[in-house]
């Protein structure tokens, strides 16, 4: 397994912003689909956003559309999640993930083979 390391989590006020980063290998960030998932205590991990490896097409969960932006920088081997207009409901541990191509859907955990350990995001009201 290839290591993925998230950073940028922390405490934010409702309506504020945070930017998460995920560092990994050159191969992963240039050839694999990348995604962000999140999980709250006692709950299942849920999809947040994904970006593919060829044309950087993006997909977002309905709960974050218009507020979050996923992007990737292959030269820096880094994935980002810009989170704006944060809500208390966004509080969770956020995980970076990478998937090989060839799957039909990338808005669920199945395609993702590589995962980071997560970074905590807490949004206060």
């Amino acid at each position: 397994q290839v290591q993925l390391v998230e950073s940028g989590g922390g405490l934010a006020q409702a309506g504020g912003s945070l930017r998460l980063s995920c560092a990994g290998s050159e191969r992963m960030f240039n050839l694999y689909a990348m995604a962000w998932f999140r999980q709250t205590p006692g709950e299942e991990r849920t999809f947040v956003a994904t970006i593919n490896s060829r044309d950087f097409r993006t997909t977002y969960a309905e709960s974050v559309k218009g507020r979050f932006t996923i992007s990737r920088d292959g030269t820096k081997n880094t994935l980002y999640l810009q989170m704006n207009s944060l809500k208390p409901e966004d509080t969770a541990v956020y995980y970076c993930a990478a998937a090989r191509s060839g799957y039909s859907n990338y808005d669920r955990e199945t395609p993702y083979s590589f995962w980071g350990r997560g970074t905590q995001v807490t949004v206060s009201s």
Side-chain angles (χ1 to χ4, degrees):
Q1 297 294 320
V2 178
Q3 184 179 27
L4 290 168
V5 181
E6 302 96 337
S7 62
L11 178 65
Q13 191 78 18
S17 298
L18 287 172
R19 188 176 77 160
L20 306 184
S21 299
C22 173
S25 71
E26 180 179 350
R27 181 181 68 176
M28 180 179 299
F29 283 91
N30 285 283
L31 297 178
Y32 296 175
M34 303 293 297
W36 290 96
F37 289 76
R38 64 187 182 185
Q39 185 174 31
T40 57
E43 302 292 333
E44 293 287 324
R45 187 153 54 191
T46 59
F47 170 76
V48 176
T50 187
I51 182 167
N52 69 21
S53 62
R54 296 302 305 276
D55 59 7
F56 289 7
R57 182 172 295 127
T58 59
T59 303
Y60 296 92
E62 289 295 328
S63 60
V64 306
K65 282 184 177 179
R67 300 189 298 118
F68 291 9
T69 302
I70 187 172
S71 61
R72 62 197 297 167
D73 186 340
T75 63
K76 298 180 179 179
N77 303 327
T78 303
L79 176 74
Y80 301 99
L81 184 68
Q82 178 66 46
M83 305 184 293
N84 298 325
S85 301
L86 283 164
K87 303 176 180 180
E89 309 93 89
D90 296 319
T91 295
V93 175
Y94 284 71
Y95 296 90
C96 172
R100 300 178 186 273
S101 62
Y103 292 88
S104 298
N105 298 290
Y106 288 87
D107 59 353
R108 56 181 181 172
E109 292 190 32
T110 300
Y112 297 93
S113 300
F114 308 101
W115 295 84
R117 293 182 175 85
T119 184
Q120 177 71 49
V121 171
T122 302
V123 183
S124 61
S125 59

